[in-house]
Amino acid sequence: MNLGCEKTRVRLDDWLDGLLDEEVRREVNDHLAFCDECRAMFRRHLDLQGDLGALGSAAERIVAAGPSAAAGRPWRGMRFAASLAAAMALLATGYLITREDQRGVLPGGERRIALDEGQRQELTALGDLMVRRAGSDAVHIKGGPNCVAVNVETSNPKVHLVWLYGECGSEAAGDSTDDGDSSNSNETRRL
Amino acid sequence: MPEGRQLTTKATASARAGSASPAIELLRDRLMGLAVKLVWNAADAEEIVQEAFRISVSSGVGFDEERFEPWMVRTVSNLCLNHRRKRRAESLGPWIDPETGETPERVAARSEHLVRVRGAIEKLPPQQRLAITLRGMESMAYEEIAEVMEISVVAARSHVHLARRALAEMIETTK
């Protein structure tokens, strides 16, 4: 059986996606062999499919190279790294709170962060991401009755970030960033 | 210092050694890939992925939930579609894989063509743009596309079909 143009074109998507069974695929190919118009149309779509694949591969290379290489300029520096660290710190803190809330461990007084091994491993992975992306060495998390403060050390020793989650007084921020160097840039964010 | 108060280098070392959720990092890389394919700027993509993680925390979606990954893919996709570009799109030249024996002129021409294709994709309606990106660049099955976009498989196929037609026409007219 020889398919007409209309029946061939209806099968274009399945042909591109490799979803046609063998017999129908052969019929489509038979039609394309003698129909210039349909062949040109299928060719255009096949080329487009190749272009999309090439764009996808280019995007993967951009990701693999990282933001600084992709932008063709030096790493944007502390501002970007710090915001990244802060976002991940927030993530870790919010996660802690969520997990503690779920477990009902919210007594009055200081909120202790005590994690079981599974939780610790998950948090460690997040912390690892955060630390690696920010070039930081450590993330300090401390708590109060209604507050968790996260102190993120960044790769710039003069820049510390403190994220406060909940009702935090100035003490939490002060304690977390007190390193005796008045030239340090301590950024405190409240949520 | 109370236990758990500090995520120390010791803990991060164990993560680097592979003992802690490499799945999160793999997911992050996957999301970065998707975001770059939609916004074409690595720094913008990075911000979007971070924002998606932040939203996941405030939404209470657990990392251990089965729906977490599709939820994150959907969130990143939506953030990308609503994204107003802050920085210019990456140039494609350095990132194209040259074919064997391909001259620099030919690579430059191909890069120019791909920039046109990318521009055409950005002109598509958001649903079509997302569907064709997921299908053509991420090689996702229609069932997965339907799950991410929260539509039927038939609708997912329809968006891809319409996007292909529109792109083929746009590219033909710009030649």
Side-chain angles (χ1 to χ4, degrees):
Chain A
M1 179 190 154
N2 204 338
L3 294 175
C5 291
E6 199 178 328
K7 285 186 175 172
T8 298
R9 291 178 187 195
V10 163
R11 290 166 171 81
L12 170 61
D13 283 298
D14 286 345
W15 185 83
L16 287 168
D17 292 327
L19 298 176
L20 292 177
D21 64 45
E22 195 51 44
E23 191 183 343
V24 179
R25 187 168 191 86
R26 198 167 48 244
E27 288 170 358
V28 169
N29 289 343
D30 285 349
H31 177 84
L32 296 178
F34 73 84
C35 179
D36 291 345
E37 226 172 290
C38 287
R39 190 167 59 247
M41 181 190 180
F42 274 55
R43 180 81 248 171
R44 277 199 301 276
H45 279 82
L46 200 57
D47 288 346
L48 172 63
Q49 185 141 292
D51 292 341
L52 292 171
L55 281 171
S57 300
E60 294 298 339
R61 285 193 193 91
I62 290 171
V63 172
S68 55
R73 53 189 175 267
W75 180 251
R76 283 173 178 273
M78 278 319 304
R79 193 173 158 196
F80 179 72
S83 66
L84 207 56
M88 292 308 289
L90 170 63
L91 174 62
T93 311
Y95 179 64
L96 276 170
I97 290 170
T98 304
R99 293 304 287 251
E100 290 216 21
D101 284 346
Q102 282 172 357
R103 292 185 303 160
V105 188
L106 278 175
E110 186 177 13
R111 174 183 291 176
R112 289 284 180 106
I113 299 168
L115 304 172
D116 63 32
E117 191 53 32
Q119 292 166 336
R120 178 177 295 282
Q121 286 199 351
E122 286 183 58
L123 247 184
T124 299
L126 290 173
D128 182 51
L129 274 178
M130 172 167 59
V131 168
R132 264 203 255 177
R133 305 302 297 184
S136 166
D137 291 327
V139 179
H140 307 277
I141 300 175
K142 60 185 298 173
N146 299 302
C147 161
V148 172
V150 181
N151 179 12
V152 183
E153 291 175 9
T154 69
S155 57
N156 182 340
K158 293 190 173 182
V159 176
H160 278 189
L161 281 168
V162 181
W163 281 80
L164 304 177
Y165 195 103
E167 298 168 21
C168 298
S170 57
E171 189 188 343
D175 285 353
S176 300
T177 59
D178 182 15
D179 55 11
D181 183 354
S182 60
S183 66
N184 278 7
S185 166
N186 296 320
E187 185 179 340
T188 304
R189 300 268 175 86
R190 287 173 187 280
L191 302 170
Chain B
M1 177 172 289
E3 184 186 351
R5 193 171 269 194
Q6 186 174 14
L7 296 175
T8 62
T9 49
K10 186 182 170 191
T12 57
S14 76
R16 284 185 187 129
S19 60
S21 288
I24 294 176
E25 197 156 358
L26 279 176
L27 174 61
R28 182 202 160 276
D29 288 347
R30 185 191 170 189
L31 296 172
M32 272 297 293
L34 172 61
V36 167
K37 286 162 194 158
L38 286 164
V39 301
W40 289 103
N41 182 285
D44 283 0
E46 186 98 49
E47 287 180 7
I48 285 168
V49 171
Q50 296 301 328
E51 174 67 3
F53 273 106
R54 194 193 65 74
I55 292 172
S56 78
V57 170
S58 58
S59 305
V61 182
F63 298 108
D64 48 354
E65 291 180 39
E66 213 171 273
R67 68 189 174 111
F68 183 65
E69 184 164 346
W71 189 93
M72 286 296 286
V73 172
R74 182 158 52 248
T75 303
V76 167
S77 300
N78 290 336
L79 288 171
C80 288
L81 291 179
N82 292 323
H83 175 71
R84 278 180 170 274
R85 179 170 284 148
K86 295 177 191 167
R87 309 167 180 98
R88 66 187 170 85
E90 310 286 358
S91 61
L92 288 174
W95 310 109
I96 294 174
D97 194 17
E99 289 161 9
T100 314
E102 201 173 23
T103 63
E105 291 78 17
R106 173 73 193 131
V107 173
R110 205 149 57 88
S111 166
E112 206 174 296
H113 171 70
L114 289 178
V115 168
R116 273 204 302 274
V117 175
R118 184 172 70 178
I121 293 170
E122 288 178 349
K123 287 179 188 154
L124 292 172
Q127 294 279 78
Q128 289 180 27
R129 184 178 150 209
L130 178 56
I132 196 67
T133 301
L134 295 176
R135 178 70 200 156
M137 294 187 218
E138 288 272 296
S139 302
M140 283 173 71
Y142 286 109
E143 288 75 12
E144 291 175 291
I145 297 171
E147 186 184 6
V148 168
M149 296 179 69
E150 294 186 300
I151 55 178
S152 67
V153 174
V154 173
R157 292 176 68 100
S158 171
H159 284 310
V160 172
H161 169 75
L162 292 172
R164 279 172 173 161
R165 269 181 39 175
L167 286 176
E169 275 175 33
M170 277 193 270
I171 292 162
E172 191 65 13
T173 54
T174 56
K175 269 184 181 174

